[in-house]
Amino acid sequence: GQTLLDRTLRAPTPQGKLFYAKGKELLLQARNLAEEISDRGESAARELRVGTSDTNALYFLPPYVSAFSRKWPDIKLEIYSRSTDEIAEEIVLENIDLGIITLPLANTDLETETLFHQQFYLVVPKSHLMSKRKRVSLGKLKHESFVLLDETTRTGTMLQTFFEDQQFTPIVSMYSGSFEVIKRYVVEGIGIAFLPEMVLTSTDRESLATIRVPGLPQVGIGAIRRKGRYQSRAAKSFLKLLTS
């Protein structure tokens, strides 16, 4: 007996807005209840879909994927490599269960949990004159040539913002969206680079030296999921592994 839609204005009435908002909550609760009951029964979902970047998939996740597979051998763990924005969209659409992404991310439909922060280092070849130094100021690098992370990446954008704040204009010999490419070109002496600690393997450290630069930003890595959606036991177990 209530009018929910004002057809003249082509907009919901106050009652309509309330019905829509509360109705969505009720539908979500009903679906979460069905999913939780199913998750505890024999017909529990047999897959967990995780979206992440190539960098996290290569350097961060492998030991956790291995540990999860040992603990949950019957769960099919699917890893999708996407950009942070694409992962966020897929989680909102519920095509992916969890995302492991670069922070920060502003999206009111998602819940975010910070996993860790990683420090940036200046990386130079072992043959470089600075390779024996422990620290160097940004101002001492104004004549150096750099191989930089492409600004189309979130981390590359963060670095560029840092340079602008410090009024530092690097001499760039090359941009790349791949940490592996950057490391290879630094080894070849094409330039020096700023890289997060996570991407530097023990093999890399045989040919590359790391130097602290005061003030370099930290990069946060976090887990995201759909706000209000039921989280399966498999998803909770995977997150527990990541936070351990």
Coordinates of all heavy atoms in Angstrom, one line a residue, residues 53-124:
S53 N 48.4 -9.6 -8.2 CA 49.3 -9.1 -9.3 C 50.3 -10.2 -9.7 O 50.6 -11.1 -8.9 CB 50.0 -7.8 -8.9 OG 50.9 -8.1 -7.8
D54 N 51.0 -10.0 -10.8 CA 52.1 -10.9 -11.2 C 53.2 -10.8 -10.1 O 53.8 -11.9 -9.8 CB 52.7 -10.4 -12.5 CG 51.8 -10.7 -13.7 OD1 50.9 -11.6 -13.5 OD2 52.0 -10.1 -14.7
T55 N 53.5 -9.7 -9.5 CA 54.5 -9.5 -8.5 C 54.2 -10.3 -7.3 O 55.1 -11.1 -6.8 CB 54.7 -8.0 -8.2 OG1 55.1 -7.3 -9.3 CG2 55.8 -7.9 -7.1
N56 N 53.0 -10.2 -6.8 CA 52.7 -11.0 -5.6 C 52.6 -12.5 -5.9 O 53.0 -13.3 -5.0 CB 51.3 -10.5 -5.0 CG 51.4 -9.2 -4.3 OD1 52.4 -8.9 -3.7 ND2 50.4 -8.4 -4.5
A57 N 52.1 -12.8 -7.1 CA 52.0 -14.2 -7.4 C 53.4 -14.8 -7.6 O 53.6 -16.0 -7.2 CB 51.3 -14.3 -8.8
L58 N 54.4 -14.1 -8.0 CA 55.7 -14.6 -8.2 C 56.6 -14.6 -6.9 O 57.2 -15.6 -6.6 CB 56.5 -13.7 -9.2 CG 57.9 -14.1 -9.6 CD1 58.0 -15.5 -10.1 CD2 58.5 -13.1 -10.6
Y59 N 56.5 -13.5 -6.1 CA 57.4 -13.3 -5.0 C 56.8 -13.6 -3.6 O 57.5 -14.0 -2.7 CB 58.0 -11.9 -5.0 CG 58.8 -11.5 -6.2 CD1 58.2 -10.7 -7.1 CD2 60.0 -12.1 -6.5 CE1 58.9 -10.3 -8.3 CE2 60.7 -11.7 -7.6 CZ 60.2 -10.8 -8.5 OH 60.8 -10.5 -9.6
F60 N 55.5 -13.4 -3.4 CA 54.9 -13.5 -2.1 C 54.1 -14.7 -1.9 O 54.3 -15.4 -0.8 CB 54.0 -12.2 -1.9 CG 53.2 -12.3 -0.6 CD1 53.8 -12.5 0.6 CD2 51.9 -12.0 -0.7 CE1 53.1 -12.5 1.8 CE2 51.1 -12.0 0.5 CZ 51.7 -12.3 1.7
L61 N 53.3 -15.1 -2.8 CA 52.3 -16.2 -2.5 C 52.8 -17.6 -2.6 O 52.2 -18.5 -1.9 CB 51.1 -16.0 -3.5 CG 50.2 -14.8 -3.2 CD1 49.0 -14.8 -4.3 CD2 49.6 -14.9 -1.8
P62 N 53.8 -18.0 -3.4 CA 54.1 -19.4 -3.6 C 54.2 -20.2 -2.3 O 53.5 -21.3 -2.2 CB 55.5 -19.4 -4.3 CG 55.4 -18.1 -5.1 CD 54.7 -17.1 -4.2
P63 N 54.9 -19.8 -1.2 CA 54.9 -20.7 0.0 C 53.6 -20.8 0.6 O 53.3 -21.9 1.2 CB 55.9 -20.0 0.9 CG 56.0 -18.6 0.4 CD 55.8 -18.6 -1.0
Y64 N 52.7 -19.8 0.6 CA 51.4 -19.9 1.2 C 50.4 -20.7 0.4 O 49.6 -21.4 0.9 CB 50.8 -18.5 1.4 CG 51.7 -17.6 2.2 CD1 52.6 -16.6 1.6 CD2 51.7 -17.7 3.6 CE1 53.4 -15.8 2.4 CE2 52.6 -16.9 4.4 CZ 53.4 -16.0 3.8 OH 54.2 -15.2 4.6
V65 N 50.6 -20.6 -1.0 CA 49.8 -21.5 -1.8 C 50.1 -23.0 -1.6 O 49.2 -23.8 -1.5 CB 50.0 -21.2 -3.3 CG1 49.4 -22.2 -4.2 CG2 49.4 -19.8 -3.6
S66 N 51.4 -23.2 -1.4 CA 51.9 -24.6 -1.1 C 51.3 -25.1 0.2 O 50.8 -26.2 0.3 CB 53.4 -24.7 -1.1 OG 53.9 -26.0 -0.8
A67 N 51.4 -24.3 1.2 CA 50.9 -24.6 2.6 C 49.4 -24.9 2.6 O 48.9 -25.8 3.2 CB 51.3 -23.6 3.6
F68 N 48.7 -24.0 1.8 CA 47.2 -24.2 1.8 C 46.9 -25.5 1.0 O 45.9 -26.2 1.5 CB 46.6 -23.0 1.0 CG 45.1 -23.0 0.8 CD1 44.3 -22.6 1.9 CD2 44.6 -23.6 -0.3 CE1 42.9 -22.7 1.7 CE2 43.2 -23.6 -0.5 CZ 42.4 -23.2 0.6
S69 N 47.6 -25.8 0.0 CA 47.3 -27.0 -0.8 C 47.5 -28.2 0.1 O 46.8 -29.2 -0.1 CB 48.1 -27.0 -2.1 OG 47.8 -25.9 -2.9
R70 N 48.5 -28.2 0.9 CA 48.7 -29.3 1.8 C 47.6 -29.5 2.9 O 47.2 -30.6 3.2 CB 50.1 -29.2 2.5 CG 51.3 -29.4 1.6 CD 52.6 -29.5 2.4 NE 52.9 -28.4 3.2 CZ 53.6 -27.3 2.8 NH1 54.1 -27.3 1.6 NH2 53.8 -26.3 3.7
K71 N 47.1 -28.3 3.4 CA 46.1 -28.3 4.4 C 44.7 -28.6 3.9 O 43.9 -29.3 4.5 CB 46.1 -27.0 5.1 CG 45.1 -26.9 6.3 CD 45.2 -25.6 7.1 CE 44.2 -25.6 8.2 NZ 44.3 -24.4 9.0
W72 N 44.5 -28.1 2.6 CA 43.2 -28.3 2.0 C 43.3 -29.0 0.6 O 43.1 -28.4 -0.4 CB 42.5 -26.9 1.8 CG 42.1 -26.2 3.1 CD1 43.0 -25.5 3.9 CD2 40.9 -26.2 3.8 NE1 42.3 -25.0 4.9 CE2 41.0 -25.4 4.9 CE3 39.6 -26.8 3.5 CZ2 40.0 -25.2 5.8 CZ3 38.6 -26.5 4.4 CH2 38.7 -25.7 5.5
P73 N 43.7 -30.2 0.6 CA 44.0 -30.9 -0.7 C 42.8 -31.0 -1.6 O 42.9 -31.2 -2.8 CB 44.5 -32.3 -0.3 CG 44.0 -32.5 1.1 CD 43.9 -31.1 1.8
D74 N 41.6 -31.0 -1.0 CA 40.4 -31.1 -1.8 C 39.9 -29.8 -2.4 O 38.9 -29.8 -3.1 CB 39.2 -31.8 -0.9 CG 39.6 -33.2 -0.5 OD1 40.4 -33.8 -1.2 OD2 39.1 -33.6 0.6
I75 N 40.5 -28.7 -2.0 CA 40.0 -27.4 -2.5 C 40.9 -27.0 -3.7 O 42.1 -27.0 -3.6 CB 40.2 -26.3 -1.4 CG1 39.3 -26.6 -0.2 CG2 39.8 -24.9 -1.9 CD1 37.9 -26.5 -0.4
K76 N 40.2 -26.6 -4.7 CA 40.9 -26.2 -5.9 C 41.2 -24.7 -5.8 O 40.3 -23.8 -5.8 CB 40.0 -26.4 -7.2 CG 40.7 -25.9 -8.5 CD 39.8 -26.1 -9.7 CE 40.4 -25.6 -11.0 NZ 39.5 -25.7 -12.1
L77 N 42.5 -24.3 -5.6 CA 42.9 -22.9 -5.4 C 43.2 -22.3 -6.8 O 44.2 -22.8 -7.5 CB 44.1 -22.8 -4.5 CG 44.6 -21.4 -4.2 CD1 43.5 -20.5 -3.6 CD2 45.8 -21.5 -3.3
E78 N 42.4 -21.3 -7.2 CA 42.6 -20.7 -8.5 C 43.2 -19.3 -8.3 O 42.7 -18.5 -7.6 CB 41.3 -20.6 -9.3 CG 40.7 -22.0 -9.6 CD 39.4 -21.9 -10.3 OE1 38.9 -20.7 -10.5 OE2 38.9 -22.9 -10.8
I79 N 44.4 -19.0 -8.9 CA 45.0 -17.7 -8.8 C 44.8 -17.0 -10.1 O 45.2 -17.5 -11.2 CB 46.5 -17.9 -8.5 CG1 46.7 -18.8 -7.3 CG2 47.2 -16.5 -8.3 CD1 46.2 -18.2 -6.0
Y80 N 44.2 -15.8 -10.1 CA 44.0 -15.0 -11.2 C 44.9 -13.7 -11.2 O 45.0 -13.0 -10.2 CB 42.6 -14.5 -11.3 CG 41.6 -15.6 -11.5 CD1 41.0 -16.3 -10.4 CD2 41.2 -16.1 -12.8 CE1 40.1 -17.3 -10.5 CE2 40.3 -17.1 -12.9 CZ 39.8 -17.7 -11.8 OH 38.9 -18.7 -11.9
S81 N 45.7 -13.5 -12.2 CA 46.6 -12.4 -12.3 C 45.9 -11.2 -12.9 O 45.6 -11.3 -14.1 CB 47.9 -12.7 -13.0 OG 48.8 -11.7 -13.0
R82 N 45.7 -10.1 -12.2 CA 45.0 -8.9 -12.7 C 45.6 -7.7 -12.0 O 46.4 -7.8 -11.0 CB 43.5 -9.0 -12.4 CG 42.8 -10.2 -12.9 CD 42.5 -10.1 -14.4 NE 41.5 -11.1 -14.8 CZ 41.8 -12.3 -15.1 NH1 43.1 -12.7 -15.0 NH2 40.9 -13.2 -15.4
S83 N 45.3 -6.5 -12.5 CA 45.6 -5.3 -11.9 C 44.8 -5.1 -10.6 O 43.7 -5.8 -10.5 CB 45.4 -4.1 -12.8 OG 44.0 -3.9 -13.0
T84 N 45.2 -4.2 -9.7 CA 44.4 -4.0 -8.5 C 43.0 -3.6 -8.8 O 42.0 -4.1 -8.2 CB 45.1 -3.0 -7.6 OG1 46.4 -3.5 -7.1 CG2 44.3 -2.6 -6.4
D85 N 42.8 -2.6 -9.7 CA 41.5 -2.2 -10.0 C 40.6 -3.2 -10.6 O 39.4 -3.3 -10.3 CB 41.6 -1.0 -10.9 CG 42.2 0.3 -10.3 OD1 42.1 0.4 -9.0 OD2 42.7 1.1 -11.0
E86 N 41.2 -4.1 -11.4 CA 40.4 -5.2 -12.0 C 40.0 -6.2 -11.0 O 38.9 -6.8 -11.0 CB 41.2 -5.9 -13.1 CG 41.4 -5.0 -14.4 CD 42.3 -5.7 -15.4 OE1 43.3 -6.3 -15.0 OE2 42.1 -5.5 -16.6
I87 N 40.9 -6.5 -10.0 CA 40.6 -7.4 -9.0 C 39.5 -6.9 -8.1 O 38.6 -7.6 -7.8 CB 41.9 -7.7 -8.1 CG1 42.9 -8.4 -8.9 CG2 41.5 -8.4 -6.8 CD1 44.3 -8.5 -8.2
A88 N 39.5 -5.6 -7.8 CA 38.5 -5.0 -6.9 C 37.1 -5.2 -7.6 O 36.1 -5.5 -7.0 CB 38.8 -3.6 -6.7
E89 N 37.1 -4.9 -8.9 CA 35.8 -5.0 -9.7 C 35.3 -6.4 -9.7 O 34.1 -6.7 -9.5 CB 36.1 -4.5 -11.1 CG 34.8 -4.5 -12.0 CD 35.0 -4.0 -13.4 OE1 36.1 -3.5 -13.7 OE2 34.1 -4.1 -14.2
E90 N 36.2 -7.4 -9.9 CA 35.8 -8.8 -9.9 C 35.3 -9.3 -8.6 O 34.4 -10.1 -8.5 CB 37.0 -9.7 -10.4 CG 37.4 -9.5 -11.9 CD 36.3 -9.9 -12.8 OE1 35.8 -11.0 -12.7 OE2 35.8 -9.1 -13.6
I91 N 35.9 -8.8 -7.5 CA 35.4 -9.1 -6.2 C 34.0 -8.6 -5.9 O 33.1 -9.2 -5.4 CB 36.4 -8.7 -5.1 CG1 37.7 -9.5 -5.2 CG2 35.8 -8.8 -3.7 CD1 38.7 -9.2 -4.2
V92 N 33.8 -7.3 -6.3 CA 32.5 -6.7 -6.2 C 31.4 -7.5 -6.9 O 30.3 -7.7 -6.5 CB 32.5 -5.2 -6.6 CG1 31.1 -4.7 -6.7 CG2 33.3 -4.4 -5.7
L93 N 31.8 -8.0 -8.1 CA 30.9 -8.8 -9.0 C 30.8 -10.2 -8.5 O 30.1 -11.0 -9.0 CB 31.4 -8.8 -10.4 CG 31.3 -7.4 -11.1 CD1 32.0 -7.5 -12.5 CD2 29.9 -6.9 -11.2
E94 N 31.7 -10.6 -7.5 CA 31.7 -11.9 -6.8 C 32.2 -13.0 -7.8 O 31.9 -14.1 -7.7 CB 30.4 -12.2 -6.2 CG 29.9 -11.2 -5.2 CD 28.6 -11.6 -4.5 OE1 28.1 -12.7 -4.8 OE2 28.2 -10.8 -3.7
N95 N 33.1 -12.6 -8.7 CA 33.7 -13.6 -9.6 C 35.0 -14.1 -9.0 O 35.6 -15.1 -9.4 CB 34.0 -12.9 -11.0 CG 32.8 -12.6 -11.7 OD1 31.8 -13.2 -11.6 ND2 32.8 -11.5 -12.5
I96 N 35.5 -13.3 -7.9 CA 36.7 -13.7 -7.2 C 36.4 -13.6 -5.7 O 35.6 -12.7 -5.3 CB 37.9 -12.8 -7.6 CG1 38.3 -13.0 -9.0 CG2 39.1 -13.0 -6.6 CD1 39.5 -12.1 -9.5
D97 N 36.9 -14.5 -4.9 CA 36.6 -14.5 -3.5 C 37.5 -13.6 -2.7 O 37.0 -12.9 -1.8 CB 36.8 -16.0 -2.9 CG 35.9 -16.9 -3.7 OD1 34.7 -16.7 -3.7 OD2 36.4 -17.9 -4.2
L98 N 38.8 -13.6 -3.0 CA 39.8 -12.8 -2.2 C 40.7 -12.1 -3.2 O 41.0 -12.6 -4.3 CB 40.6 -13.6 -1.3 CG 40.0 -14.2 -0.1 CD1 41.0 -15.2 0.6 CD2 39.5 -13.2 0.9
G99 N 41.2 -10.9 -2.8 CA 42.2 -10.2 -3.6 C 43.4 -9.9 -2.7 O 43.3 -9.5 -1.6
I100 N 44.6 -10.0 -3.3 CA 45.9 -9.6 -2.6 C 46.4 -8.5 -3.5 O 46.9 -8.7 -4.6 CB 46.9 -10.8 -2.5 CG1 46.2 -12.1 -2.0 CG2 48.1 -10.4 -1.7 CD1 45.6 -11.9 -0.6
I101 N 46.4 -7.3 -3.0 CA 46.6 -6.1 -3.8 C 47.5 -5.1 -3.1 O 47.9 -5.2 -1.9 CB 45.3 -5.4 -4.1 CG1 44.5 -5.1 -2.9 CG2 44.4 -6.3 -5.0 CD1 44.6 -3.7 -2.4
T102 N 48.0 -4.1 -3.9 CA 48.8 -3.0 -3.4 C 47.8 -2.0 -2.8 O 46.9 -1.6 -3.5 CB 49.6 -2.4 -4.6 OG1 50.5 -3.4 -5.1 CG2 50.5 -1.3 -4.0
L103 N 48.1 -1.5 -1.6 CA 47.3 -0.5 -1.0 C 47.9 0.9 -1.2 O 49.1 1.0 -1.6 CB 47.4 -0.8 0.6 CG 46.8 -2.2 1.0 CD1 47.0 -2.3 2.5 CD2 45.3 -2.3 0.6
P104 N 47.1 1.9 -1.0 CA 45.7 1.9 -0.6 C 44.7 1.7 -1.7 O 45.0 1.8 -2.9 CB 45.6 3.3 0.0 CG 46.5 4.2 -0.8 CD 47.6 3.3 -1.2
L105 N 43.5 1.3 -1.3 CA 42.4 1.1 -2.2 C 41.2 1.7 -1.6 O 40.8 1.3 -0.5 CB 42.2 -0.3 -2.6 CG 41.1 -0.6 -3.5 CD1 41.3 -0.1 -4.9 CD2 40.8 -2.1 -3.6
A106 N 40.5 2.6 -2.3 CA 39.3 3.3 -1.8 C 38.1 2.7 -2.5 O 37.9 2.9 -3.7 CB 39.3 4.8 -1.9
N107 N 37.4 1.8 -1.8 CA 36.1 1.2 -2.4 C 35.2 0.8 -1.2 O 35.6 -0.1 -0.4 CB 36.5 0.0 -3.2 CG 35.3 -0.5 -4.0 OD1 34.2 -0.7 -3.5 ND2 35.5 -0.8 -5.3
T108 N 34.1 1.5 -1.1 CA 33.2 1.2 0.0 C 32.5 -0.1 0.0 O 31.9 -0.5 1.0 CB 32.1 2.3 0.0 OG1 31.4 2.3 -1.2 CG2 32.7 3.7 0.3
D109 N 32.6 -0.8 -1.1 CA 32.0 -2.2 -1.2 C 33.0 -3.3 -0.7 O 32.6 -4.4 -0.7 CB 31.6 -2.5 -2.7 CG 30.5 -1.6 -3.1 OD1 29.6 -1.4 -2.3 OD2 30.5 -1.2 -4.3
L110 N 34.2 -2.9 -0.4 CA 35.2 -3.9 0.0 C 35.7 -3.7 1.4 O 35.8 -2.6 1.9 CB 36.4 -3.8 -1.0 CG 36.1 -4.0 -2.5 CD1 37.3 -3.8 -3.3 CD2 35.6 -5.5 -2.7
E111 N 36.1 -4.8 2.0 CA 36.8 -4.8 3.3 C 38.3 -5.0 3.1 O 38.6 -5.9 2.3 CB 36.2 -5.8 4.3 CG 34.8 -5.5 4.7 CD 34.3 -6.6 5.7 OE1 35.0 -7.6 5.9 OE2 33.1 -6.4 6.1
T112 N 39.1 -4.3 3.7 CA 40.6 -4.4 3.5 C 41.3 -4.8 4.8 O 41.0 -4.3 5.9 CB 41.1 -3.0 3.0 OG1 40.5 -2.6 1.8 CG2 42.6 -3.1 2.7
E113 N 42.3 -5.7 4.7 CA 43.1 -6.1 5.8 C 44.6 -5.9 5.3 O 45.0 -6.6 4.4 CB 42.8 -7.5 6.2 CG 43.6 -8.0 7.4 CD 43.3 -9.4 7.8 OE1 42.3 -9.9 7.3 OE2 44.0 -9.9 8.7
T114 N 45.3 -5.1 6.0 CA 46.8 -5.0 5.7 C 47.5 -6.2 6.1 O 47.4 -6.7 7.3 CB 47.4 -3.7 6.4 OG1 46.6 -2.6 6.0 CG2 48.8 -3.5 6.0
L115 N 48.3 -6.7 5.2 CA 49.1 -7.9 5.5 C 50.5 -7.6 5.9 O 51.1 -8.1 6.9 CB 49.2 -8.8 4.3 CG 47.8 -9.4 3.8 CD1 48.0 -10.2 2.5 CD2 47.2 -10.2 4.8
F116 N 51.2 -6.7 5.2 CA 52.5 -6.2 5.5 C 52.9 -5.0 4.7 O 52.2 -4.6 3.8 CB 53.6 -7.3 5.3 CG 53.8 -7.7 3.9 CD1 54.8 -7.1 3.1 CD2 53.0 -8.6 3.2 CE1 55.0 -7.4 1.8 CE2 53.1 -9.0 1.9 CZ 54.1 -8.4 1.2
H117 N 54.0 -4.3 5.1 CA 54.5 -3.2 4.4 C 55.9 -3.6 4.0 O 56.7 -4.3 4.7 CB 54.6 -1.9 5.3 CG 53.3 -1.3 5.5 ND1 52.4 -1.7 6.5 CD2 52.6 -0.4 4.8 CE1 51.3 -1.0 6.5 NE2 51.4 -0.2 5.5
Q118 N 56.3 -3.2 2.8 CA 57.7 -3.5 2.3 C 58.4 -2.2 2.0 O 57.8 -1.2 1.5 CB 57.6 -4.4 1.1 CG 56.8 -3.9 -0.1 CD 56.8 -4.8 -1.3 OE1 57.8 -5.5 -1.5 NE2 55.7 -4.9 -2.0
Q119 N 59.7 -2.1 2.3 CA 60.5 -1.0 2.1 C 61.1 -0.9 0.7 O 61.5 -2.0 0.2 CB 61.6 -0.9 3.2 CG 62.5 0.3 3.1 CD 61.7 1.5 3.5 OE1 61.0 1.6 4.5 NE2 61.8 2.5 2.6
F120 N 61.2 0.3 0.2 CA 62.0 0.4 -1.1 C 63.4 0.6 -0.8 O 63.8 1.2 0.2 CB 61.4 1.7 -1.8 CG 60.4 1.4 -2.8 CD1 59.0 1.5 -2.5 CD2 60.7 0.9 -4.1 CE1 58.0 1.2 -3.4 CE2 59.7 0.6 -5.0 CZ 58.4 0.8 -4.7
Y121 N 64.3 0.1 -1.7 CA 65.7 0.3 -1.7 C 66.2 0.8 -3.0 O 65.6 0.5 -4.1 CB 66.4 -1.0 -1.3 CG 66.3 -1.4 0.1 CD1 65.2 -2.2 0.5 CD2 67.2 -1.0 1.1 CE1 65.1 -2.6 1.8 CE2 67.0 -1.4 2.4 CZ 66.0 -2.2 2.8 OH 65.9 -2.6 4.1
L122 N 67.3 1.6 -3.0 CA 68.0 1.9 -4.2 C 68.9 0.6 -4.5 O 69.6 0.1 -3.7 CB 69.0 3.1 -4.0 CG 69.9 3.5 -5.1 CD1 69.1 4.0 -6.3 CD2 70.9 4.5 -4.7
V123 N 68.8 0.2 -5.8 CA 69.4 -1.0 -6.2 C 70.4 -0.6 -7.3 O 70.1 0.0 -8.3 CB 68.4 -2.0 -6.7 CG1 69.2 -3.3 -7.2 CG2 67.5 -2.4 -5.6
V124 N 71.7 -1.0 -7.1 CA 72.7 -0.7 -8.1 C 73.5 -2.0 -8.4 O 73.5 -3.0 -7.6 CB 73.7 0.3 -7.6 CG1 73.0 1.6 -7.2 CG2 74.5 -0.2 -6.4

